[in-house]
Amino acid sequence: MKKLMRDLIMIVAGTLLYALALTFLSIPNDLADGGLPGLSIILYYAFGWSPGIVNFILASIILLIGYWVLPRRTIFLTVITAPLLSFLIYITEQKIESLGDPLVSAIFAGFFIGIGAGLILRTGSSMGGTSVIARMLHYNFGWDLTRTNFALDAVIVLSGLFIIGPLNTMYTIVSLFVGKKATDIILEGLDTRKAVSVISAYAPEITDEVIQQTKTSATVFEGYGGYMKENADMAYIIINKYQILKLKRIINSVDDRAFVVVHDVRDVFGGSFSWAKK
């Protein structure tokens, strides 16, 4: 029950941010968006139809068709999210005048839309739009989920070329890019991790120092050097990005000839990262 209440609060906050960004920043400046809200806005520019009502009708049709594809919990949350988003768009549309700077409006619209979408997606819900269609095509025809969703959004955005013109379409693409980054921040967090691979004859000693000084775990693999034809151990370490300089100093103090590779990781759970919770 507590998790459901938290999800409902996040859905309300996310849909409110999403709707206000559209009606206060995107629509007054003749900008579009991806997904069903973007299609609803383009139809509004073309025919004057209410984007809130159009979004509700389209989302309802797609949800009815995709009922057998989505998990039941996702359907339940989406049934809450899609009508709420449509209602908030409806009661706030045509309330605000243009700020006079479409580029700034596009940047901040993308930022708030991205945060709103991230909050919604974190609950396991969806806006009931192109993602549902992409899931249906993936389920029935095996189409790639990510590429199909991207293609559907691209078709909607590019259709705006004939309605809002190339300049505002380019502003819309800027908004989508900012929104994607904002959504990633909400879904993945600001505290990203780094994976560090250390190939060294002193890998066990390096891991001992890492565990002692950074309070994180490390793993040692037995390896074999393809060039030197010699055995070479490798230490694999996941660390907070703010500790990367300290880790480099630790490695250098043990073996200044170690071969080190640092790369990003998208998500980390379990292991030493769950010690604090336990």
Side-chain angles (χ1 to χ4, degrees), residues 33-56:
D33 190 33
L36 282 192
L39 179 58
S40 303
I41 292 173
I42 290 174
L43 293 174
Y44 165 72
Y45 294 147
F47 305 106
W49 298 344
S50 166
I53 295 175
V54 171
N55 188 77
F56 175 75

Side-chain angles (χ1 to χ4, degrees), residues 85-255:
L85 177 62
S86 301
F87 174 73
L88 292 173
I89 293 174
Y90 177 73
I91 64 174
T92 57
E93 61 191 45
Q94 299 181 347
K95 302 293 184 183
I96 299 295
E97 298 293 329
S98 171
L99 297 178
D101 192 330
L103 179 57
V104 173
S105 298
I107 293 172
F108 279 92
F111 177 72
F112 290 117
I113 286 173
I115 292 178
L119 291 173
I120 293 169
L121 294 174
R122 282 199 67 151
T123 66
S125 180
S126 71
M127 275 73 75
T130 52
S131 60
V132 178
I133 299 175
R135 282 179 181 269
M136 289 189 290
L137 293 173
H138 173 73
Y139 180 78
N140 290 294
F141 303 106
W143 292 12
D144 183 81
L145 195 61
T146 303
R147 293 181 181 178
T148 304
N149 195 55
F150 174 79
L152 292 171
D153 283 343
V155 169
I156 293 173
V157 172
L158 293 178
S159 66
L161 283 169
F162 306 100
I163 308 298
I164 60 178
L167 182 60
N168 283 355
T169 300
M170 287 189 283
Y171 285 145
T172 299
I173 294 173
V174 171
S175 178
L176 292 173
F177 177 79
V178 175
K180 175 63 168 60
K181 295 299 181 182
T183 301
D184 288 343
I185 290 174
I186 297 298
L187 294 179
E188 300 173 9
L190 292 170
D191 188 17
T192 56
R193 309 287 177 169
K194 297 286 186 180
V196 183
S197 300
V198 185
I199 300 175
S200 169
Y202 302 95
E205 289 82 355
I206 291 173
T207 57
D208 289 342
E209 289 296 321
V210 169
I211 293 170
Q212 181 178 353
Q213 297 189 37
T214 66
K215 306 303 180 185
T216 190
S217 185
T219 303
V220 177
F221 297 98
E222 292 184 357
Y224 179 77
Y227 182 75
M228 298 297 294
K229 308 300 181 185
E230 297 176 351
N231 292 332
D233 291 337
M234 184 185 79
Y236 186 75
I237 307 160
I238 304 292
I239 198 166
N240 187 298
K241 66 178 181 180
Y242 301 109
Q243 295 179 299
I244 193 67
L245 292 178
K246 181 177 181 180
L247 177 62
K248 289 180 178 179
R249 287 195 292 268
I250 293 172
I251 295 171
N252 190 65
S253 67
V254 177
D255 183 9

